[in-house]
Amino acid sequence: MSEQEGRLVVAAAIVDDLARPSRLLAARRSDPPELAGGWEFPGGKVEHGEQPLDALHRELREELGVAVEVGAEITGPLEGRWALGPGLSMRLWLAIVVDGVPAPLEDHDELRWLGPGGWSGVPWLPADVAVVEALISRCPSARV
């Protein structure tokens, strides 16, 4: 799917260490109502003419008030992307916070650091469950 065929969402799996992540930041949606209460990876839609990584940095500043260092992309089964729903797909990268303290500034009402063995311990939005499972299998330090 090209970026013109559907809306691209970019997101970050914010972890404590790019080489050996053991903690993962989850964000609980407050809006829109149909997603409220579900947990997800912070990020958002790529604007027309915007590069995906530029969008990721912008979204994380807006939503969490942080700057990040981006690590490896966690590729999904759909041409490297993850399906989010009709007309929406997501690209996701590992990232660490390099400036600021994450806070739920926009679209979220709570953030939670999930420790080893607990990455699946919140009710993730359905589209993110497969991503969490892929992250756990990729990151041995995330397991107990």
Side-chain angles (χ1 to χ4, degrees):
M1 173 188 302
S2 74
E3 268 134 52
Q4 290 75 33
E5 292 172 19
R7 289 298 308 263
L8 177 63
V9 171
V10 290
I14 297 177
V15 294
D16 57 341
D17 185 300
L18 290 174
R20 290 188 46 78
S22 62
R23 295 188 329 137
L24 172 68
L25 186 69
R28 187 173 68 185
R29 292 290 310 208
S30 58
D31 191 59
E34 63 271 15
L35 300 178
W39 292 80
E40 69 175 2
F41 299 99
K45 291 183 178 129
V46 176
E47 300 295 334
H48 180 71
E50 191 175 34
Q51 293 298 312
L53 285 175
D54 292 339
L56 181 65
H57 287 287
R58 175 184 53 75
E59 286 285 348
L60 295 177
R61 278 191 309 274
E62 291 172 2
E63 288 188 0
L64 305 180
V66 297
V68 298
E69 175 185 335
V70 176
E73 184 170 3
I74 307 301
T75 55
L78 303 172
E79 297 180 13
R81 298 174 185 205
W82 300 91
L84 293 182
L88 280 178
S89 64
M90 177 176 71
R91 291 180 64 186
L92 179 105
W93 289 267
L94 289 174
I96 57 169
V97 174
V98 294
D99 186 47
V101 175
L105 303 176
E106 190 176 278
D107 299 328
H108 302 102
D109 61 4
E110 184 179 341
L111 302 177
R112 186 179 299 171
W113 283 101
L114 306 173
W119 287 19
S120 57
V122 295
W124 290 96
L125 291 173
D128 288 337
V129 171
V131 184
V132 172
E133 291 169 356
L135 281 167
I136 292 169
S137 68
R138 179 183 171 132
C139 304
S141 50
R143 295 173 278 212
V144 173

